[in-house]
Amino acid sequence: MRRSGSARGQWAVLAAFALALPLGCALVRPADRAAEVAASQPILDPPRRAGLPLVLVAMPASVSFQATRQALVAEIGKTFDVSTLTVEPSTPVAELAAAITKQAPACLVLMNNATVRLYREYQRSRPGTTFPPAIIVMTSFLEDIRHELAGVTGIAYEVPGVTAFVGLRAILVAPITRVGVLHSRYSRPFIERQRVLAAKEQIDLVPVEIAAEQPTIADVQLALRSLRAVHHIDVLWVLNDNRLLRDGPFLRDAWTPVLDSLGIPVIVGAAPLVNPDAPFGTFAVLPDHAALGTQTANLILDLAEDDWRIDRHPVELPLSTISVLDVAQARARFGLRPDALNRVDRPLE
Amino acid sequence: MARRDTAPLPSNHACPPDRIPAFTRRRWTLAVALLLALVILWPGSVGAEARPTLYVFLHTDVKSTVLEKALQAGLPDLSVTVFGRFRDFEQALSARPPDAVLALQPMLEARKLSAALRGIEQGRDVEPYVLMSVGSPLAGSLAGRTIGVVDLLGRADTQTFVLALLKAPDTHLKLVTKLEDLLSLLQFAAADAILVPARIVKSFTERSRLSLQVRALPDVVVGRPAVAVLAPSARAAVVRGIQRLDAATNQLMGVESWRER
C-alpha cells in the first residue's frame, strides 16, 4: 500500500503542505513567504565604484531571493555596481521612487509579486515618463502580466511542465505519454503554453479546469477521477495553486485518497510534497534559485550588449531546475530505469 | 566530499554527574583514545583535512553529486569537491586553493595551469563537438544564429573561446549553467542549436523526443578532462589516484585512461 493512513503519515503530509506553499515554486506567491524572511541574512551591497553603471535590485529579504541575488551579483559584479532595496509588504511607492530617482539605475531587477505591484503603481503614477529597463523574476505568471508594464522583460518563475515530464520520463520505466492537470480558470493561458511545449516532446497535456472559485473536496475528487477514468492519463501534474491545494486538511481529504487509487506517478512543484514517510508526490521539479540568478545576469548582460532594447528580449523560461524523487515509491510502483538516480539531484531513499 | 562536523564530544547530559566518580583513570584513557580515533577516522574531520584536496569542474551527463560520489569512492586518499557552476568553482579556487584541479583542458589553460595528467579516449586527448538543432538540419553560416553553450570559463572567456572555436564571430551565444539545461534551450526554442561533445548526443536523443539533428563540425575539437597539480607535495598521491580510477568512473568523464606529461 502506498499510503499507510497512519496518524504519523497524515501529520507528515500536513507538515509537508505547510512547508510546501512557502517554499513552492510554480504558482505560489513569493510575497507570501514570511517564513523565509526570518531566516534571511542582512543584505550587503558591494561598494560603489566610479564610472560603473548600476543595477537596482528591489526584492524581499528572504532566503530564496537572496540566493538568486547572490548569484546575480557574482555574475554582473565586474560590469555593474549593485544596489539593493529591500521591499516589504508595507513599502510605499515613494520609497521605490526615491531609490530610482537617487540612484538612476541602468537597469532594475524586480523580484516577487509585491515588488512588481509596487513598480506597476510607480509607473502608473508617472504617465509619459521613460522608465529604465526592468527585469522581473520570481513572479507568478510573468508572461501574462508583462503587458501591464512598460519596458520590462524577465524570466518566468513557473517551471515548465515539459521539464518535469521529460525529467521523469528519463527516470521511470512506466510510460509517460498523457499528463493530466487540474487548474483554475486564471491558469488557462499558462496551461495552453504548457500544452504546446509538452507536445514538442510527444506528451499530451490533458487539462481539466475547475471553475469554482473555492473548489470543494467533491470538485477535486471528481476531476481527478475523470482524468484517470475518462482521459486515461498516465501521470498527474499537481500545480502549486493555493486555491486548488488550499491547506493541509484539504490536501489530506480531497487529494490524498484519490491519488492513492489513481496508481500513477504524481509530479509536484514543492520539495516537501515528496516525502517517503508520507507519500504524496513522486517527483518534484523546483527552480534552481542560484542558476536563476545566473540566468538573470546573462539576460542583463545580453540587454546591455543590445543597447537595452528590451522589446527584442521576450520573457525567458527558467532553464535550470532541481529534481527530487521519492525513490522507494518510484521503484516499487513505476520501475526505475538503469542509472535513473544519476539524473536526480535529490533522491530521497 | 562535503565536510561533516567533527564527532560530538560527550556532554554532561550524556554522562550524568552522579556517574563521573565511577570512571577510573583507565576508563578515561580508553575513552580519550576512542575519541581520538573517531576524530581521525571521521570523514571530513582532522584526518580528512590532511588529505590533498581535489577540485573538479566538469560538465557530465550525470549530476555533480553523482560524479563527486564516484570520484571520492575512487580517490580515498584525496578530498574531492565537485562544482556544478563555474562561478562557485572560480570563487573556491581563489578563496581556498586546492592541491589539484580536474577540469577540461581549456579551463586549465585559461587559469595558466599546467596539466600533469590528460584524459585519453581512443588515443586522443581532445574530443569532437557537434551542433544539435531541432527540425531541419542547421545548414550554412552561423552568423546571426543563437547557439547554446555551457558556461565553461565564465561569460566573457566562454564567449571568446567558443566563437574562436566555431570561427563565427557574429554568432550569438546563450550560456547555461549545466549540460542538461541545453535541452531546455531547444525545447523552448530559445536557441537555434546547442554545442555539445559528440559523445553526449546519444544521451540527448534517448532523453528527448524532439526531432534532433546533428551537424558535425570537422575542425572543432576541445581538450578532454585533465589534471593540474597546484601543490607539488600532492603530486604523487593525485597522479597515482587518478590513474587508478576504474573504467566506470572514467567513463562518466568521457575518458578511458590518463596520460602523464
Side-chain angles (χ1 to χ4, degrees):
Chain A
M1 200 46 200
R2 183 181 174 198
R3 294 172 186 86
S4 65
S6 67
R8 179 179 168 237
Q10 289 181 355
W11 280 109
V13 168
L14 281 173
F17 183 73
L19 284 168
L21 290 186
L23 296 174
C25 325
L27 308 179
V28 175
R29 294 176 179 165
D32 298 332
R33 297 176 176 182
E36 291 183 11
V37 174
S40 61
Q41 302 292 316
I43 297 172
L44 298 174
D45 290 322
R48 289 296 308 263
R49 294 159 294 181
L52 280 191
L54 178 88
V55 170
L56 175 62
V57 181
M59 57 178 275
S62 54
V63 171
S64 49
F65 298 99
Q66 290 203 30
T68 301
R69 176 194 166 277
Q70 194 174 355
L72 166 70
V73 173
E75 291 292 331
I76 66 173
K78 286 181 185 167
T79 316
F80 292 95
D81 280 345
V82 175
S83 173
T84 307
L85 174 70
T86 303
V87 175
E88 296 169 0
S90 58
T91 302
V93 174
E95 192 174 331
L96 176 64
I100 294 172
T101 304
K102 183 181 172 191
Q103 306 198 47
C107 177
L108 292 166
V109 174
L110 309 168
M111 295 188 192
N112 99 334
N113 294 356
T115 306
V116 172
R117 282 196 293 272
L118 198 67
Y119 187 62
R120 185 175 58 192
E121 215 177 313
Y122 165 79
Q123 285 200 343
R124 286 178 178 171
S125 66
R126 287 161 176 75
T129 306
T130 301
F131 302 103
I135 311 285
I136 296 175
V137 294
M138 302 176 83
T139 298
S140 308
F141 296 135
L142 174 58
E143 290 155 294
D144 300 321
I145 63 166
R146 184 188 186 186
H147 69 276
E148 297 176 15
L149 294 149
V152 303
T153 187
I155 302 165
Y157 195 39
E158 298 83 15
V159 171
V162 70
T163 304
F165 309 156
V166 171
L168 189 60
R169 188 172 62 188
I171 291 168
L172 296 187
V173 174
I176 295 172
T177 57
R178 291 175 63 76
V179 178
V181 59
L182 304 188
H183 69 93
S184 305
R185 190 166 56 84
Y186 54 79
S187 311
R188 201 182 288 165
F190 168 76
I191 290 294
E192 178 54 22
R193 291 192 295 272
Q194 302 312 305
R195 194 189 61 73
V196 171
L197 285 172
K200 291 184 179 184
E201 284 284 358
Q202 299 177 21
I203 293 169
D204 292 329
L205 185 64
V206 184
V208 168
E209 184 173 308
I210 295 190
E213 277 290 307
Q214 287 296 322
T216 62
I217 291 173
D219 290 335
V220 169
Q221 294 194 340
L222 185 67
L224 285 174
R225 290 198 176 102
S226 79
L227 277 172
R228 186 62 169 149
V230 179
H231 300 289
H232 307 294
I233 60 166
D234 42 36
V235 174
L236 179 70
W237 181 28
V238 180
L239 302 179
N240 283 2
D241 185 330
N242 38 17
R243 285 190 199 170
L244 292 179
L245 300 181
R246 198 184 302 170
D247 54 25
F250 190 76
L251 191 79
R252 180 194 60 206
D253 297 338
W255 289 80
T256 306
V258 186
L259 293 192
D260 204 19
S261 64
L262 291 180
I264 56 176
V266 177
I267 295 172
V268 295
L273 290 177
V274 177
N275 179 353
D277 291 333
F280 183 89
T282 314
F283 186 60
V285 180
L286 328 165
D288 180 336
H289 288 123
L292 185 61
T294 304
Q295 189 178 350
T296 307
N298 280 320
L299 180 53
I300 292 170
L301 295 165
D302 282 347
L303 267 168
E305 289 169 8
D306 200 18
D307 293 330
W308 301 105
R309 286 177 288 193
I310 208 155
D311 52 311
R312 289 160 48 126
H313 295 262
V315 170
E316 296 184 3
L317 299 178
L319 296 170
S320 226
T321 55
I322 291 171
S323 54
V324 185
L325 179 72
D326 180 340
V327 177
Q329 185 199 132
R331 182 180 283 132
R333 295 171 62 98
F334 313 115
L336 286 177
R337 290 178 183 273
D339 301 329
L341 300 186
N342 286 352
R343 302 174 186 280
V344 180
D345 292 290
R346 295 183 201 157
L348 303 181
E349 299 279 1
Chain B
M1 294 290 281
R3 294 190 179 98
R4 298 180 194 170
D5 293 335
T6 51
L9 293 168
S11 66
N12 288 339
H13 299 288
C15 186
D18 60 339
R19 294 186 59 189
I20 291 176
F23 264 84
T24 62
R25 188 172 175 175
R26 199 171 130 195
R27 282 176 176 162
W28 272 113
T29 307
L30 184 64
V32 169
L34 279 170
L35 269 174
L36 277 173
L38 196 60
V39 165
I40 290 166
L41 295 174
W42 194 264
S45 68
V46 175
E49 293 293 339
R51 292 180 295 173
T53 51
L54 174 70
Y55 284 178
V56 181
F57 179 59
L58 289 175
H59 296 288
T60 66
D61 194 31
V62 300
K63 299 289 183 182
S64 52
T65 49
V66 174
L67 179 63
E68 181 172 273
K69 197 173 168 187
L71 282 170
Q72 188 60 80
L75 300 167
D77 296 335
L78 307 182
S79 177
V80 179
T81 306
V82 175
F83 295 88
R85 273 192 293 269
F86 169 78
R87 199 60 65 189
D88 296 340
F89 170 69
E90 186 191 44
Q91 286 175 348
L93 207 55
S94 302
R96 300 178 304 280
D99 296 309
V101 173
L102 167 54
L104 288 185
Q105 287 173 39
M107 157 58 71
L108 299 186
E109 287 158 10
R111 306 286 304 196
K112 298 187 170 28
L113 298 173
S114 162
L117 287 172
R118 287 175 189 266
I120 303 292
E121 174 87 24
Q122 296 179 330
R124 302 185 72 195
D125 67 356
V126 294
E127 65 177 325
Y129 273 55
V130 299
L131 289 173
M132 292 184 79
S133 57
V134 178
S136 54
L138 188 72
S141 165
L142 296 179
R145 302 277 200 173
T146 299
I147 307 295
V149 297
V150 177
D151 187 353
L152 296 171
L153 308 166
R155 181 182 166 95
D157 289 347
T158 300
Q159 285 181 331
T160 304
F161 174 74
V162 173
L163 293 178
L165 197 67
L166 296 175
K167 300 183 182 69
D170 296 329
T171 302
H172 175 68
L173 298 182
K174 196 142 188 78
L175 271 61
V176 300
T177 305
K178 297 176 275 190
L179 198 58
E180 70 202 50
D181 303 343
L182 290 172
L183 181 59
S184 298
L185 282 181
L186 294 181
Q187 288 166 337
F188 306 158
D192 297 305
I194 57 175
L195 181 69
V196 293
R199 69 184 152 83
I200 295 294
V201 168
K202 183 166 175 280
S203 161
F204 274 50
T205 52
E206 284 175 353
R207 187 180 172 93
S208 174
R209 303 284 187 278
L210 295 173
S211 173
L212 294 172
Q213 308 290 330
V214 176
R215 173 170 160 180
L217 299 167
D219 301 326
V220 175
V221 292
V222 175
R224 291 183 189 278
V227 179
V229 178
L230 283 64
S233 60
R235 183 181 175 101
V238 171
V239 169
R240 186 176 60 241
I242 297 283
Q243 286 185 320
R244 286 180 183 172
L245 285 172
D246 61 24
T249 305
N250 280 333
Q251 194 178 17
L252 293 178
M253 299 181 284
V255 305
E256 59 188 17
S257 62
W258 297 87
R259 180 186 294 161
E260 194 168 0
R261 290 197 76 201

